[in-house]
Amino acid sequence: MKIVIVGGVAGGASAAARLRRLDEKAQIVLFEKSGYISYANCGLPYYVGGVIQDESALTLQTPQSFGTRFRVDVRIRHEVTAIHPERKTVTVRALDTGDVFEESYDKLVLSPGARPVVPSLPEIDGDHIYTLRNVEDTLRIRRFVEENQPESAVVIGGGFIGLEMAENLAGLGVDVTLVEKMDQVLSPFDADMASFIHARFKAAGVHLMLGRAVTGFEQTESGVKTHLDDGEPLESRMVLLAIGVTPDASLAKEAGLALGVRGSIAVNDRMQTSDPDIYAVGDAVQVRHGVTGEEVLISLAGPANKQGRIAADNICGRDSRYRASFGSSILKVFDMTAASTGINERAAKAAGLSYEKVVLSPATHATYYPGGRVMTMKVIYEKETLRLLGAQIIGFEGVDKRIDVLATAMQAGLKADELTDLDLAYAPPYSSAKDPVNMAGFMIENIESGLVKQFHFEEVADLQKNDGVTLLDTRTDAEYARGHAEGFLHIPVDNLRERLGELDPKKPVYVMCQSGLRSYLACRILSQHGFDCYNFSGGYRFYESVYKNRFAADTRTSCGI
């Protein structure tokens, strides 16, 4: 059997290696348009920033080492320009020589990936305007940075690549301005959670221009002038375009294969296209979302690697299925970490789901053990079924562990209140006896059992105008003095029982503290004295980040259980 693979990065290289492990006799030919295969795509921004210093570290396998180990006929700088399903061949052009030839196949695997979005704007193809897709792009950008030592840069796009490039350029001492058309960065996150990322970038000196669109460029003697839809243009030495990616599905389209959402390649759960002898994997294919059931595009390395393995399994006669993607992702934000899985509130609303959420601010580990820092967690679940829908976490150490636990729980079908039962590892340097994931479960259990009611940050503005309610802040005098929400009466929780007479029992009481614990305790006190009480989800720390774009990375924490 002869298998031809188009594209040699995550999905294609994984398929090739798996094919050889399953079939020692198969003839495997891999065509890659660039000069590199099996490279660390996700590490490219860190090479530009000098975090990864050795260029060879970006390539997990060279064409030579891959060919030697797996006996795959690797042909770099060979572009497949057409597929001919009727005669089971592909047309190939050797980029170094210009030679054009046809290669036959029994099975074909497409792994073309996604290409950067480059909109039609004036002078967008000018000098010193870069995109980042492959190793060649990375080397070009790093060479420019090393030779010119630019004092300023504009990064356009607030997705993963845009933020990583902004961070790495800022780390080199470059004055970076990040322009994003949305009112927030990182679309997998809700705006309230993204506020922590905004604050961290601003603290690092990166200028954020949110809700602004780029209208064109202009070459100048000193660099590039970026024109915006409003305000003065931005002058910089270089520009990095990271607006997004689009499936590179032109080969599939021209071959008459069925297409999916946003022009992607449609595949079944065996990674087969509409032609049963042609498989497709990676960023160019549509997949089923594990929460909504909708067909979506998820451009992440983990799914691409799994899909390459699954395609190889099925080509070799095994029954292997790609069930769904949950979009689990994680990002370094200077010294912080941002991670998400499942869907956010926007997606839940768009899907017409009846959902609830909890926001909590637990510590990374036991607060009495030195070095603990706060993380902010947001867990979204379906009201009637308690099905977990998604989670977002912003923090420092331990974020990766908690998002992976939540992703696993969601994929395993655990209900939101069953997070309380998870038996998670504990020692003071690593966690608390009640792990943050357990705490989220306790909060959900309390809400669903009616033990406590809550309100959210988006309700605060209306409540501040309502004379028929009491707003109460239960933090210490020092905390209240450092900052508080307007209109909140201040009574520390430890003095609340003695000062109940200051509250009108006919008015609902909306209570806030720093993280949610003391306001929860206040609500338990008040409700047992006949008050109708609501606990603020996330605490003042969360409120301060959302409304003031600043936060305190302290250890004064825990959530209400």
Side-chain angles (χ1 to χ4, degrees):
M1 179 167 57
K2 181 178 181 182
I3 304 107
V4 169
I5 300 173
V6 181
V9 192
S14 293
R18 179 68 169 174
L19 283 164
R20 178 57 73 220
R21 291 195 294 270
L22 295 177
D23 188 343
E24 186 65 19
K25 296 180 180 179
Q27 181 183 356
I28 306 170
V29 182
L30 189 155
F31 293 111
E32 168 54 45
K33 183 179 179 180
S34 76
Y36 300 84
I37 68 161
S38 190
Y39 57 83
N41 205 311
C42 299
L44 300 181
Y46 299 99
Y47 180 70
V48 173
V51 178
I52 299 172
Q53 297 186 0
D54 185 358
E55 177 186 333
S56 64
L58 295 174
T59 51
L60 307 178
Q61 291 274 1
T62 66
Q64 295 74 25
S65 67
F66 195 84
T68 298
R69 174 161 295 180
F70 296 105
R71 296 299 191 269
V72 173
D73 181 1
V74 179
R75 305 186 202 177
I76 58 173
R77 295 194 53 75
H78 279 67
E79 180 182 11
V80 174
T81 59
I83 304 169
H84 312 288
E86 69 284 354
R87 57 179 184 267
K88 300 185 78 169
T89 65
V90 294
T91 299
V92 185
R93 180 164 60 96
L95 298 179
D96 291 335
T97 65
D99 294 341
V100 177
F101 59 92
E102 284 199 8
E103 189 82 25
S104 64
Y105 66 83
D106 295 311
K107 302 290 183 182
L108 178 65
V109 179
L110 302 178
S111 182
R115 62 180 185 275
V117 173
V118 181
S120 179
L121 294 174
E123 297 193 37
I124 197 166
D125 56 350
D127 293 338
H128 313 316
I129 299 177
Y130 300 95
T131 59
L132 180 61
R133 182 186 187 187
N134 54 33
V135 174
E136 284 91 343
D137 294 337
T138 307
L139 298 180
R140 193 176 304 115
I141 296 170
R142 175 155 170 171
R143 185 165 54 249
F144 175 82
V145 170
E146 288 179 337
E147 293 176 355
N148 296 274
Q149 296 186 345
E151 71 288 347
S152 60
V154 170
V155 176
I156 302 170
F160 291 102
I161 293 175
L163 293 189
E164 288 171 344
M165 282 301 299
E167 175 186 342
N168 278 278
L169 289 171
L172 294 173
V174 179
D175 185 22
V176 179
T177 299
L178 189 146
V179 182
E180 167 56 49
K181 191 174 183 179
M182 292 175 57
D183 290 331
Q184 66 167 90
V185 300
L186 286 184
S187 59
F189 291 79
D190 288 311
D192 52 6
M193 295 295 288
S195 67
F196 289 91
I197 303 170
H198 299 165
R200 187 64 190 88
F201 267 84
K202 290 179 179 179
V206 175
H207 313 289
L208 294 184
M209 301 190 73
L210 305 176
R212 305 289 293 278
V214 174
T215 58
F217 302 93
E218 180 183 343
Q219 297 294 313
T220 67
E221 290 185 5
S222 59
V224 185
K225 189 176 288 187
T226 302
H227 291 275
L228 305 175
D229 57 351
D230 182 38
E232 295 296 317
L234 304 172
E235 296 194 34
S236 65
R237 189 71 178 84
M238 64 179 293
V239 171
L240 192 286
L241 287 175
I243 298 172
V245 295
T246 187
D248 194 352
S250 56
L251 282 175
K253 181 179 180 180
E254 292 167 4
L257 301 180
L259 300 182
V261 295
R262 290 171 50 194
S264 60
I265 305 172
V267 293
N268 61 20
D269 61 358
R270 295 164 61 88
M271 307 314 299
Q272 284 176 302
T273 68
S274 54
D275 183 320
D277 291 322
I278 302 177
Y279 294 74
V281 301
D283 294 352
V285 306
Q286 72 173 21
V287 295
R288 186 177 67 85
H289 198 286
V291 175
T292 65
E294 298 175 346
E295 299 296 335
V296 294
L297 279 170
I298 295 181
S299 300
L300 295 168
N305 277 277
K306 296 183 186 77
Q307 292 160 12
R309 175 187 175 94
I310 289 168
D313 281 354
N314 287 297
I315 288 171
C316 292
R318 299 169 67 89
D319 184 15
S320 190
R321 310 277 175 158
Y322 190 79
R323 306 300 178 188
S325 281
F326 288 81
S328 301
S329 61
I330 193 164
L331 176 72
K332 177 182 175 294
V333 185
F334 294 96
D335 58 341
M336 289 176 60
T337 303
S340 69
T341 187
I343 62 174
N344 58 24
E345 280 196 75
R346 290 194 311 278
K349 290 175 183 175
L353 297 172
S354 176
Y355 70 91
E356 184 56 280
K357 60 187 175 183
V358 293
V359 179
L360 55 155
S361 298
T364 55
H365 58 245
T367 54
Y368 61 82
Y369 187 88
R373 304 181 79 177
V374 172
M375 66 176 73
T376 297
M377 300 173 59
K378 182 177 186 178
V379 180
I380 304 168
Y381 63 96
E382 196 169 29
K383 285 183 180 179
E384 290 79 10
T385 65
L386 298 188
R387 179 170 64 114
L388 286 167
L389 301 178
Q392 302 158 51
I393 310 178
I394 309 286
F396 300 88
E397 299 83 8
V399 168
D400 52 344
K401 170 184 175 179
R402 276 64 187 218
I403 204 69
D404 284 343
V405 170
L406 287 162
T408 302
M410 186 164 54
Q411 191 163 350
L414 291 184
K415 293 184 178 181
D417 60 346
E418 291 177 325
L419 297 176
T420 62
D421 300 326
L422 292 177
D423 189 1
L424 303 174
Y426 160 63
Y430 303 105
S431 184
S432 301
K434 297 172 182 175
D435 187 85
V437 175
N438 296 136
M439 291 178 180
F442 294 142
M443 291 177 67
I444 292 166
E445 183 181 68
N446 286 343
I447 291 165
E448 294 304 315
S449 67
L451 191 63
V452 67
K453 294 183 286 187
Q454 62 176 349
F455 69 109
H456 302 291
F457 82 92
E458 58 266 29
E459 301 173 59
V460 172
D462 287 337
L463 289 170
Q464 288 169 327
K465 304 172 188 175
N466 188 348
D467 293 333
V469 302
T470 298
L471 304 179
L472 179 63
D473 188 319
T474 59
R475 295 176 299 154
T476 64
D477 293 339
E479 288 173 319
Y480 187 82
R482 281 195 296 266
H484 55 269
E486 183 181 348
F488 276 72
L489 173 67
H490 176 228
I491 303 177
V493 67
D494 292 340
N495 305 129
L496 182 58
R497 291 180 179 88
E498 290 73 32
R499 297 176 61 179
L500 290 175
E502 298 177 31
L503 304 177
D504 185 345
K506 296 179 181 179
K507 292 183 178 182
V509 184
Y510 291 80
V511 191
M512 180 184 291
C513 74
Q514 186 70 9
S515 65
L517 173 60
R518 285 167 290 175
S519 52
Y520 164 70
L521 297 176
C523 277
R524 293 304 306 139
I525 295 169
L526 291 168
S527 63
Q528 293 178 74
H529 284 83
F531 289 87
D532 183 18
C533 191
Y534 297 79
N535 186 23
F536 181 65
S537 177
Y540 181 76
R541 180 179 180 277
F542 186 64
Y543 176 90
E544 185 178 40
S545 177
V546 175
Y547 282 101
K548 300 182 181 180
N549 266 339
R550 66 173 184 258
F551 67 97
D554 55 27
T555 56
R556 298 187 301 274
T557 183
S558 184
C559 58
I561 54 173

